[in-house]
Amino acid sequence: MIAVALLLLISTVNALPEGAPTKACETLIPNHRGIPPQTGKAPYEITPIPQEDHVLVTVKSNLDFPIGGIILHARMPDGRIGGVFEPIEDDVHTITCDNPHDTITHNDPSPKPSVAVKWRPPSGYEGPIIFNSTVCQNFATCWVGIKSEPIQILAGGNIPNTIKTSTIRTSTSPHYTPQEETTRHIQFDSFYDGCDDTKKCFGAPDGCVATQNCKVVAAITVVSDRYQIELKSQSAKWAGLGLSTDATMGDDSVVECVNEGNGVKAYLSWTIPRPNLGVFRVANQEGIKLVNHSLIDDTLYCKVLRDAKTRVNNVDFDLINNKYHLLVAAGKRIKDKSVGFHDIDYLPSATSGYLSDTGKVVGASKLLVRLHGAFMLAAWIGTASVGTLLARYYRKTWVGKTICGKDLWFAWHRFFMICTWALTTVAFILIFVFLKGWSGETSNPHAILGCVVTALCFLQPIGAFFRPHPGTPKRAIFNWLHWLGGNAAHILAIVTIFFAVKLNKADLPEWFDYILAAFVAFHVVMHLVLSILGCASENSSNQRISSFPMKDMGGSGKISDHMVNVDAPYSWTRKLLLSIYVLVCGGFVIALIVVVVLAPKAS
């Protein structure tokens, strides 16, 4: 028995003699001769206490269990180890896992009632930190992956005096599985703390504050007799918050946060209404003060104090007694003494309100934009595609059958093209009602091409109304012009839709292009199949059929008697292909309209 006791004593004394090795940095699992760690709840807790310029981190047991060995470091949400430790007592020292002094371990395995160290965040870091540790009571009894409550590091490396938790999961390492079924989660972005509760927040796209994924966001807090404005945007050269008496840009006071390359600056600006839409910085920059800023991982942030009462471009702004619409915007380009177009995002608030009021702020409706897109898709992917297919390949199908005295193919062709004209006209009007002028996204040709398509769409029915009678000399000219105008409008319309995906206001995802490309491929394949079928039909009957309107461009009007009231060969095959085309084309239209209406890029 004495010998056994001595062996146990020796093993305890020799356990963890010089601290954890660096090979334990990644997993925090001690290599104690294959002895597995404990699986139950750890009797130790890690407590981070924010101080003026550091965090005091204490590890101890509420059950007064001693600490024999320890390894402790701080992890960021992406799993990286960060910060610098400074021992307070002589029972621990620092080691290097990723960076010098980023991890703490014990000096010797003697029992310690607790371990207390100082920790300072990485330079310029903003976000959450969780402290992770493995604590060994002795050589054979260790608990792996003990976590602290998360602590938020603010912009500029400031340490808040409170600790917060939220609902995004983090892990100690890729190899560690938390031993508890219910674990603490952390919030990756402290900017949204207090939104709609203690501060007024508004971001774009609409609804992004709730999901914390805004492309540009502003937060307003009353601080004494001033208003604190925080702005944040990803991949931006500038972000701005405008105060407007209406929901449209023009004659508005704007606070800009600008990355000028040599630092982040804040300015007061003024927007110019249409038709000369733009922005300029006012001469008098009094009334605002930049108090904090950062540029981390391509994310622009600034905090500005604005006086409650300011005079901007000879207009008085009283933030206490007046209500204002909020305008948030961000862009990737800046000009000399100005900012570029808001090509990241732009959104006005639906209603005006006091800046001191908290609660959810809703963006102005984009219903007219959604309807514009839906109507154009229904017109040019749907009705125009079916209408042109009928005119090109179905003149000798359903021969002898009429509607209101018109051949069946022609009646349906006219119906679908009238629908195309009506949908295009309404969509064209809606977008101008929404914009109240020309599009500001001048680098994108969508607006110009859309106007060309609309003009061609108007000319087609006018030309058809004055078409010469079959057999007259000018009928051939009409046939060519009508064919050219219709095909040009259809092709340009689809190209225009592709450009719409890049529009900021459309909120369409990049994968929208793939659906459009799939439709184009299907459309081309169907035309190819019907063309081949037309050739086979012509060879089979040894007669000239009218499946190809281009072959009748001469306009003589002379048709052999044996062709009258006779369907061309393979009529049922063409009918089957038409049914397939209409069904698939309808499916594409529905899918595309659903994407436009739901605008998944905005969610």
Side-chain angles (χ1 to χ4, degrees):
M1 292 294 292
I2 295 175
V4 172
L6 288 174
L7 288 174
L8 290 174
L9 179 61
I10 291 173
S11 66
T12 301
V13 171
N14 290 334
L16 312 170
E18 298 176 355
T22 55
K23 64 182 180 181
C25 290
E26 182 65 20
T27 64
L28 295 182
I29 299 176
N31 185 18
H32 289 181
R33 300 174 188 171
I35 299 174
Q38 301 298 305
T39 59
K41 180 177 174 61
Y44 299 94
E45 292 184 354
I46 305 174
T47 305
I49 304 174
Q51 305 294 316
E52 183 175 351
D53 62 346
H54 66 274
V55 178
L56 178 63
V57 185
T58 303
V59 183
K60 67 176 299 183
S61 169
N62 291 332
L63 301 176
D64 294 327
F65 287 179
I67 298 174
I70 186 173
I71 180 171
L72 169 70
H73 55 218
R75 284 191 183 267
M76 294 174 275
D78 58 7
R80 289 181 296 144
I81 300 171
V84 175
F85 281 100
E86 178 184 336
I88 297 176
E89 301 172 350
D90 296 334
D91 48 9
V92 293
H93 65 278
T94 62
I95 60 174
T96 298
C97 284
D98 288 346
N99 299 288
H101 311 296
D102 63 1
T103 303
I104 283 289
T105 189
H106 55 281
N107 286 338
D108 59 67
S110 60
K112 295 169 276 293
S114 64
V115 170
V117 292
K118 294 180 180 180
W119 178 84
R120 291 180 172 82
S123 177
Y125 177 72
E126 176 189 3
I129 285 290
I130 277 187
F131 294 94
N132 296 268
S133 179
T134 286
V135 178
C136 291
Q137 186 176 343
N138 52 52
F139 186 85
T141 309
C142 300
W143 286 267
V144 176
I146 303 170
K147 292 183 182 181
S148 73
E149 295 279 357
I151 185 170
Q152 292 285 353
I153 306 302
L154 303 181
N158 296 328
I159 301 173
N161 56 9
T162 58
I163 299 172
K164 296 181 179 293
T165 61
S166 70
T167 58
I168 302 178
R169 183 178 296 273
T170 188
S171 63
T172 302
S173 73
H175 308 289
Y176 172 65
T177 302
Q179 65 261 37
E180 297 181 55
E181 292 184 3
T182 303
T183 58
R184 296 278 183 178
H185 305 301
I186 66 172
Q187 176 173 305
F188 287 96
D189 196 343
S190 61
F191 186 97
Y192 298 92
D193 286 351
C195 281
D196 305 338
D197 182 19
T198 59
K199 60 185 180 182
K200 191 185 196 81
C201 296
F202 182 52
D206 194 23
C208 66
V209 172
T211 55
Q212 301 190 4
N213 63 344
C214 297
K215 289 188 287 185
V216 55
V217 60
I220 305 170
T221 311
V222 179
V223 179
S224 185
D225 59 344
R226 288 181 167 185
Y227 286 75
Q228 175 181 286
I229 299 172
E230 295 177 271
L231 286 165
K232 189 172 186 178
S233 182
Q234 296 179 357
S235 305
K237 273 290 188 179
W238 66 273
L241 173 68
L243 304 180
S244 176
T245 55
D246 52 30
T248 58
M249 183 178 292
D251 295 329
D252 314 312
S253 173
V254 180
V255 173
E256 297 174 358
C257 177
V258 185
N259 173 21
E260 297 186 336
N262 58 351
V264 178
K265 305 291 179 60
Y267 298 100
L268 272 177
S269 294
W270 187 260
T271 61
I272 306 170
R274 295 180 187 275
N276 302 313
L277 191 62
V279 62
F280 67 88
R281 289 172 189 161
V282 298
N284 183 8
Q285 291 290 321
E286 295 181 2
I288 64 167
K289 179 182 180 183
L290 179 64
V291 295
N292 199 355
H293 62 83
S294 68
L295 187 62
I296 303 173
D297 295 333
D298 208 22
T299 298
L300 175 67
Y301 168 86
C302 73
K303 182 188 293 184
V304 178
L305 289 178
R306 175 167 179 160
D307 293 345
K309 295 184 178 181
T310 52
R311 187 172 181 81
V312 185
N313 200 38
N314 297 320
V315 178
D316 292 322
F317 284 82
D318 185 348
L319 309 190
I320 298 175
N321 299 309
N322 295 334
K323 294 182 178 181
Y324 295 98
H325 286 267
L326 302 181
L327 312 176
V328 290
K332 297 180 180 179
R333 292 182 291 274
I334 57 176
K335 304 176 183 178
D336 184 27
K337 297 182 180 180
S338 182
V339 297
F341 181 70
H342 43 74
D343 51 359
I344 291 180
D345 216 332
Y346 162 75
L347 184 67
S349 62
T351 59
S352 62
Y354 295 108
L355 268 63
S356 58
D357 291 344
T358 57
K360 185 177 180 180
V361 181
V362 179
S365 172
K366 289 187 177 181
L367 176 62
L368 296 183
V369 175
R370 305 282 183 259
L371 290 175
H372 168 81
F375 288 168
M376 284 298 192
L377 287 169
W380 296 102
I381 301 297
T383 56
S385 298
V386 177
T388 55
L389 199 79
L390 285 167
R392 185 172 179 83
Y393 301 107
Y394 288 85
R395 295 192 176 201
K396 291 298 293 181
T397 308
W398 298 291
V399 173
K401 296 182 180 180
T402 61
I403 298 178
C404 299
K406 300 295 182 181
D407 289 343
L408 195 62
W409 73 267
F410 179 78
W412 281 110
H413 166 76
R414 184 168 60 180
F415 169 77
F416 281 116
M417 300 321 291
I418 289 174
C419 289
T420 301
W421 181 88
L423 289 167
T424 301
T425 302
V426 174
F428 186 79
I429 294 172
L430 287 177
I431 198 63
F432 275 94
V433 170
F434 176 80
L435 293 175
K436 296 180 176 64
W438 189 254
S439 173
E441 301 188 50
T442 54
S443 61
N444 190 312
H446 174 84
I448 294 175
L449 292 176
C451 289
V452 173
V453 170
T454 304
L456 289 173
C457 183
F458 261 81
L459 290 174
Q460 283 296 94
I462 295 174
F465 181 79
F466 292 103
R467 68 183 180 276
H469 192 273
T472 59
K474 294 183 179 179
R475 180 66 180 224
I477 299 175
F478 163 79
N479 287 342
W480 276 103
L481 291 177
H482 192 68
W483 174 87
L484 181 62
N487 282 280
H490 195 203
I491 294 171
L492 277 177
I494 294 175
V495 172
T496 305
I497 294 171
F498 272 100
F499 279 112
V501 181
K502 309 300 180 185
L503 290 173
N504 179 46
K505 64 178 70 66
D507 291 325
L508 293 174
E510 293 293 333
W511 48 263
F512 192 85
D513 281 339
Y514 295 109
I515 305 178
L516 286 174
F519 164 75
V520 172
F522 168 74
H523 181 74
V524 170
V525 168
M526 289 298 294
H527 273 266
L528 181 62
V529 171
L530 285 167
S531 296
I532 294 172
L533 188 64
C535 291
S537 175
E538 182 174 322
N539 291 333
S540 175
S541 61
N542 292 319
Q543 64 179 1
R544 182 168 171 262
I545 63 171
S546 59
S547 293
F548 301 90
M550 289 295 295
K551 295 194 172 186
D552 291 325
M553 290 299 179
S556 64
K558 296 179 180 179
I559 303 175
S560 301
D561 293 338
H562 67 277
M563 294 178 61
V564 179
N565 296 327
V566 176
D567 275 11
Y570 306 112
S571 175
W572 281 104
T573 305
R574 285 195 301 277
K575 293 176 182 177
L576 176 62
L577 290 174
L578 179 63
S579 299
I580 294 173
Y581 185 85
V582 171
L583 289 174
V584 175
C585 189
F588 274 111
V589 171
I590 292 171
L592 291 168
I593 289 177
V594 167
V595 176
V596 167
V597 171
L598 296 181
K601 184 179 175 182
S603 60

